[in-house]
Amino acid sequence: LTFPLLSVTLLVSFGSSMLYGYNLAVVNSPAEHIKAFYNATWSQRYGHGLAPGPLTLLYSLTVSIFALGGLLGSLLVGVLVERYGRNGTLSRSALLVLLAGGFMGFSRELGSPEMVIIGRSITGLHSGRCCGVVHSPFLTAWSLTAHSQGTGEFIYPMATVSILGIFICLGVFFAQILGLPELLGKDRFWPLFLSVVVIPASLQLLLLHCFPESPRYLLIERNDICRATKALRRFLGTPDVQGVIEEMKEEQQSLSSVEMVSVWQLLRDRSVRWQTLSVVVVNAGMQLSGIDAIWFYTNTIFENAGIPVSQIPYTTVGTGAIEVVAGLVGCFTIEKLGRRPLIITGFCAMGICSAGITASLLLQTTLPWMSYVSIACVVGIIAGFCMGPAGVPFLMTAELFTQSHRPAAYIVGGSLNWLCNFTIGFIFPFLQMSTGAFCYLVFCGVCLLVALYVYFIIPETKNKTFMEISHIFA
């Protein structure tokens, strides 16, 4: 990566991927404070507090509605980028965060739990838009196109994938640090804690104008060769960009002759049914593996495991630090080890650790040291996820399909990601109340089944063309 290319990658990751990670974990630390606010507001309005069931329902909605906003935002990405470009879409999304921060920041002063829920849904809308812009190879504007053996296939730069994954881990980690009692973890600070998202969004909004628009968008979508040439010269740091311009023109011609497949056509296409099923299994399994429960409800999980309340915030920060390290390891080993070993090992480790949490919770009354086993298992789930399932499904989706099918495959995978994220965020507290320690066996079963599916069905996609992968599936 050249310096300008690295700069815009870091800026966009800071305002999108890191905000996504932050919003996943920000509701964990102030959970009890938010519930107390909901209960007090309800008592002021109606003369009585909320029963435990309705209070849990209201808080679960606050946590999970982020994913519903993300689903809506992800479905709008294609239209927005086509109309406004990368910079325009990200700038408009940053304005949404400022609005969401205002809703959440003033919610307690105005005595309105509804403002917290609306703010969470708007931050989800922002994350859905931004993650779609940043993560999709068709819309990743600062990535350069290249031709693979003359086929016109898009090559997604591994450096960009690595940076995006690391920034998600950093977002989770920063939320855990700011949630410490010495910082914003106190009752009077939770509205500020939720509205911190306006800082990175404001920086992105101010600095995006310092960078040119996507060369690919300017040439292929707008047919503006002059601006595309200027942007390429700045990003590549060289005046000689004619070769890249010619490649992009060839891609423009190839794209004009390719008929893009709709989601419905993709689901009905028997020639790629195993690839489509693989995208469904891996993306749904990634979110149903239990990682979202860990991010959303870490403090509750540790409290049930018998960790002293005073030590829980620091234990959570420790798991976040390990998550960043595991993310770095996964990002820099994916090209050396291949996709299958990482994703199979990751899901197996997560499944075993989920079963370990169940065992430790059942035995903690007779063996007090089992609380430390619970911590180790939570760390194992996070490390297993970051080293494999976190990044591999995205790459696999790009490698399992041709140019014509890939956008529809990303819509299917992305929609499943957000829907399953919502499902776990909403039902986990009720699952925990109804099944106790055994709720983690659900995640164990999901992880092991996905690992078995990948082992028996999905081939290694590293350094293979689409035709080679298709023949293996056949």
Side-chain angles (χ1 to χ4, degrees), residues 125-136:
L125 187 65
H126 164 267
S127 290
R129 285 184 179 185
C130 289
C131 288
V133 172
V134 175
H135 291 180
S136 171

Side-chain angles (χ1 to χ4, degrees), residues 161 282 286 326-331 333-334 337-350 380-396:
V161 177
V282 173
M286 179 173 62
L328 288 169
V329 172
C331 286
T333 56
I334 188 170
L337 300 179
R339 283 51 159 158
R340 289 181 81 251
L342 281 178
I343 197 167
I344 292 172
T345 303
F347 273 115
C348 285
M350 294 175 75
I381 291 173
I382 293 173
F385 178 79
C386 291
M387 287 191 293
V392 174
F394 168 73
L395 287 175
M396 276 190 168

Side-chain angles (χ1 to χ4, degrees), residues 55 120 183 200:
L55 181 60
R120 283 284 294 171
L183 298 175

Side-chain angles (χ1 to χ4, degrees), residues 14-44:
F14 178 71
S16 56
S17 297
M18 197 178 80
L19 269 184
Y20 169 70
Y22 184 88
N23 283 309
L24 285 175
V26 71
V27 289
N28 171 54
S29 176
E32 295 305 316
H33 305 318
I34 295 174
K35 289 179 182 179
F37 165 64
Y38 286 176
N39 203 29
T41 304
W42 195 271
S43 181
Q44 290 174 1

Side-chain angles (χ1 to χ4, degrees), residues 142-414:
W142 65 93
S143 301
L144 301 179
T145 55
H147 292 284
S148 174
Q149 300 175 350
T151 61
E153 284 296 309
F154 186 89
I155 296 178
Y156 194 69
M158 281 307 302
T160 304
V161 177
S162 302
I163 290 172
L164 296 178
I166 292 168
F167 266 84
I168 292 175
C169 296
L170 286 174
V172 173
F173 185 48
F174 286 151
Q176 293 166 339
I177 291 178
L178 290 178
L180 290 172
E182 293 83 358
L183 298 175
L184 300 180
K186 297 179 181 178
D187 178 59
R188 66 178 184 272
F189 290 140
W190 69 260
L192 177 62
F193 187 25
L194 295 182
S195 59
V196 163
V197 292
V198 302
I199 297 175
S202 299
L203 289 175
Q204 187 184 73
L205 187 63
L206 291 173
L207 297 178
L208 266 177
H209 299 288
C210 300
F211 296 94
E213 185 54 84
S214 155
R216 199 166 173 274
Y217 168 78
L218 292 173
L219 194 146
I220 296 176
E221 298 293 339
R222 295 301 185 195
N223 203 28
D224 191 339
I225 298 177
C226 181
R227 290 177 63 196
T229 302
K230 290 180 180 178
L232 278 172
R233 284 172 178 168
R234 182 169 179 185
F235 281 137
L236 295 179
T238 176
D240 185 15
V241 295
Q242 191 57 38
V244 180
I245 290 290
E246 292 301 323
E247 286 187 346
M248 292 172 70
K249 286 181 178 179
E250 291 177 19
E251 184 188 6
Q252 185 183 35
Q253 293 175 355
S254 65
L255 285 175
S256 63
S257 62
V258 173
E259 183 180 354
M260 294 299 175
V261 172
S262 68
V263 172
W264 179 243
Q265 290 172 322
L266 174 71
L267 297 176
R268 295 183 60 188
D269 191 343
R270 296 175 63 87
S271 66
V272 292
R273 61 183 176 182
W274 281 107
Q275 290 93 320
T276 304
L277 181 60
S278 298
V279 167
V280 170
V281 170
V282 173
N283 281 276
M286 179 173 62
Q287 298 298 333
L288 298 177
S289 63
I291 189 65
D292 289 321
I294 298 294
W295 279 333
F296 288 144
Y297 302 105
T298 311
N299 286 13
T300 303
I301 292 171
F302 284 151
E303 186 177 350
N304 292 335
I307 306 298
V309 175
S310 60
Q311 298 178 15
I312 288 177
Y314 309 99
T315 306
T316 301
V317 170
T319 63
I322 293 171
E323 179 178 357
V324 174
V325 174
L328 288 169
V329 172
C331 286
F332 294 109
T333 56
I334 188 170
E335 282 302 303
K336 294 181 179 180
L337 300 179
R339 283 51 159 158
R340 289 181 81 251
L342 281 178
I343 197 167
I344 292 172
T345 303
F347 273 115
C348 285
M350 294 175 75
I352 293 170
C353 289
S354 295
I357 293 178
T358 297
S360 63
L361 291 177
L362 293 174
L363 296 173
Q364 68 179 351
T365 53
T366 55
L367 301 172
W369 53 269
M370 275 293 172
S371 59
Y372 299 103
V373 175
S374 295
I375 297 175
C377 289
V378 169
V379 170
I381 291 173
I382 293 173
F385 178 79
C386 291
M387 287 191 293
V392 174
F394 168 73
L395 287 175
M396 276 190 168
T397 303
E399 293 167 339
L400 292 178
F401 294 93
T402 58
Q403 192 88 347
S404 60
H405 289 68
R406 206 172 289 149
Y410 269 102
I411 292 174
V412 171

